[in-house]
Amino acid sequence: MKVFDDEKDLLMDHEYDGIKELDNHMPKWWLYLFYFTIVWGVLYFLYYTVTGVGMDQHEQYAAEMAEAAEKYGFSQDGEEAIAAVSWSYETDDASIANGREIYMSTNNLCFTCHGAAGEGMVGPNLTDDMWLHGCSAEEIATSIAEGFPDKGMIAYGSGARISDDDMTDLISYIASLQGTAPANPKPTDTERATQCGIN
Ligand code: HEC
């Protein structure tokens, strides 16, 4: 390998298989990029960690939810949302049809766990008069709004919040299933369920 005169000083004193190395400076643009990342890292750390001015993803989520709650006028907390309304079962066809639509929708997924006819699968049978968490309009609405995350049911079935009017229709549809005796009912959990009549 030929070494030019002006490279003599730069030549490092090792050689492998005829390959020699020059001790060149790193290019300026590379160094500036490197310094820039250091400054960026320090500022980032100050912004998010030391001063806490920047929001992390959980804080951003909470802030967006609060903004949406303000904009669309719902309460963020399931319990509060239920307490704010006096719930009752509707019996008109339009309410029940809409309730069924929500029950069967891929947004809320109720049917996937409670069966297309409410006969129960993963979730309990909703057509008999044996209930785990009560059968008043408010109790059913609470069951739906809060879900039972430890048992696999998240709030609103899939976390997709529904309006108060839709909730009324949904609980009305569930009430309308009382005594329908569908095929293949899931057996009652006799240890936990208690009798409770909706109608
Ligand atoms: C991923 C499965 C799953 C989905 C989806 C689901 N549930 Fe549930 N649901 C359950 C389970 C499991 C329970 C029983 C909780 C327990 O054992 O305490 C339950 C309980 C309930 C209860 C209380 C029943 C009782 O006996 O007190 C109601 C009412 C209910 N679900 C309605 C709904 C509605 C309406 C939807 C759709 C918005 C829905 N569920 C979506 C699994 C599900």
Side-chain angles (χ1 to χ4, degrees):
M1 191 180 103
K2 175 154 177 43
V3 176
F4 296 98
D5 283 349
D6 57 350
E7 288 178 339
K8 289 238 163 67
D9 293 344
L10 295 171
L11 198 62
M12 294 171 84
D13 58 0
H14 52 231
E15 176 181 343
Y16 297 99
D17 296 339
I19 298 173
K20 298 175 183 171
E21 190 183 357
L22 295 178
D23 186 14
N24 280 319
H25 287 296
M26 312 202 94
K28 281 271 180 317
W29 65 264
W30 194 98
L31 278 175
Y32 287 136
L33 201 61
F34 182 58
Y35 297 144
F36 174 74
T37 62
I38 293 174
V39 173
W40 181 272
V42 170
L43 293 179
Y44 188 97
F45 185 68
L46 288 173
Y47 185 68
Y48 284 105
T49 306
V50 179
T51 63
V53 175
M55 292 190 282
D56 67 22
Q57 53 187 329
H58 300 290
E59 290 163 347
Q60 271 179 19
Y61 175 77
E64 274 179 39
M65 287 302 285
E67 202 177 297
E70 178 101 346
K71 183 166 169 198
Y72 298 108
F74 63 75
S75 164
Q76 280 199 75
D77 178 70
E79 206 175 322
E80 256 175 47
I82 295 307
V85 175
S86 93
W87 300 95
S88 62
Y89 295 121
E90 305 290 333
T91 50
D92 62 286
D93 292 348
S95 299
I96 294 191
N98 184 43
R100 181 181 147 76
E101 208 159 290
I102 299 164
Y103 183 89
M104 296 301 287
S105 83
T106 47
N107 257 346
N108 296 95
L109 302 173
C110 316
F111 71 101
T112 59
C113 290
H114 292 283
E119 72 276 17
M121 289 160 73
V122 175
N125 184 341
L126 299 175
T127 66
D128 60 13
D129 59 358
M130 298 298 285
W131 294 86
L132 300 170
H133 302 280
C135 75
S136 72
E138 181 165 342
E139 285 166 331
I140 301 269
T142 304
S143 288
I144 298 168
E146 294 186 353
F148 306 98
D150 52 330
K151 297 278 166 53
M153 173 172 167
I154 52 179
Y156 302 94
S158 63
R161 184 180 283 276
I162 54 182
S163 70
D164 291 349
D165 285 347
D166 279 346
M167 177 67 101
T168 298
D169 294 348
L170 180 57
I171 61 174
S172 303
Y173 171 65
I174 291 174
S176 78
L177 296 175
Q178 279 295 288
T180 49
N184 306 317
K186 180 173 175 173
T188 306
D189 180 346
T190 48
E191 302 254 295
R192 293 175 61 214
T194 50
Q195 215 227 338
C196 173
I198 284 186
N199 297 315

